[in-house]
Amino acid sequence: MNRRQRHIYYDTDLQIEMYEFKGIGQKFVSHFHENYVIGLMEKGSRNFVCGGRKYVIAAGDILLINPRQAHGCEQIGGENLHYFSFNIAEEIMQEIAGYNVLPYFAECVVKSQPLKRLMLDLRELLQRAATVRQKRNCFCC
C-alpha cells in the first residue's frame, strides 16, 4: 500500500524550492504558478494539459512549465503519482540562464536521460541540505 507523502524543501543558498509527491491519486485542476516548474514523473500515468496542449505523461517524462502557464492533470489507471519538481523564481532562472532575457519553454513535456540524471542528483542534494517546509499556500496541493 502506498502512503501519500507531500514534502516541500527549500534551499536558501540556491533559492530553489522542491515539491515531492508520492502515492498521490488526486486530480490537479487547472492552475498556475508564479515560478518556473521543472518536474520529473517517477511513477504513474496522467492526462496532462499544459499551455492548451494535451499530453499523456508517464514515468521518465520531464515537465517544463513557464511562470503563469495554466496546467492540470488527472490519473490514468491505478498507479498513483510519484513526482518531484523544482520551483524556480524568474530572477533566479535569469541568473541560471546567464542572460537578460527569461527563458521560455516551448514544449511542456520532454524526454532526456541526461536531464533526468541531473534532476535526480539535484533532488538528492536538496534533500540533504534544504529545510523542509510545512507551508500549504499552493492551490494545487
Side-chain angles (χ1 to χ4, degrees):
M1 176 177 172
N2 284 335
R3 238 184 64 212
R4 287 182 293 182
Q5 298 177 24
R6 298 168 192 249
H7 296 107
I8 302 173
Y9 301 86
Y10 184 75
D11 187 292
T12 55
D13 292 332
L14 296 176
Q15 298 181 44
I16 293 177
E17 182 176 66
M18 183 181 78
Y19 286 7
E20 185 176 49
F21 299 152
K22 291 186 177 184
I24 305 298
Q26 84 178 57
K27 176 180 180 176
F28 293 93
V29 298
S30 185
H31 64 282
F32 68 91
H33 305 274
E34 292 294 326
N35 299 325
Y36 287 93
V37 176
I38 302 172
L40 176 64
M41 290 285 294
E42 292 189 288
K43 278 188 178 179
S45 297
R46 297 211 151 214
N47 287 319
F48 178 63
V49 177
C50 182
R53 293 182 61 193
K54 295 179 181 181
Y55 303 86
V56 174
I57 55 175
D61 287 343
I62 296 168
L63 309 182
L64 303 171
I65 304 168
N66 296 295
R68 295 168 292 287
Q69 186 172 42
H71 60 282
C73 65
E74 64 183 331
Q75 184 170 311
I76 301 171
E79 189 171 38
N80 286 336
L81 173 70
H82 285 219
Y83 166 83
F84 70 90
S85 67
F86 304 112
N87 305 308
I88 306 169
E90 289 177 318
E91 58 272 11
I92 300 303
M93 184 62 93
Q94 195 167 19
E95 284 182 41
I96 292 168
Y99 46 85
N100 292 331
V101 178
L102 285 169
Y104 179 81
F105 300 131
E107 291 294 326
C108 295
V109 179
V110 298
K111 293 182 185 302
S112 169
Q113 281 303 112
L115 181 55
K116 178 182 172 183
R117 181 75 255 155
L118 290 170
M119 291 177 69
L120 291 167
D121 290 346
L122 180 56
R123 175 179 66 177
E124 186 178 325
L125 288 171
L126 283 175
Q127 285 175 325
R128 280 189 279 162
T131 57
V132 179
R133 300 175 124 184
Q134 295 301 318
K135 74 175 195 174
R136 289 286 180 247
N137 63 359
C138 175
F139 171 71
C140 67
C141 55

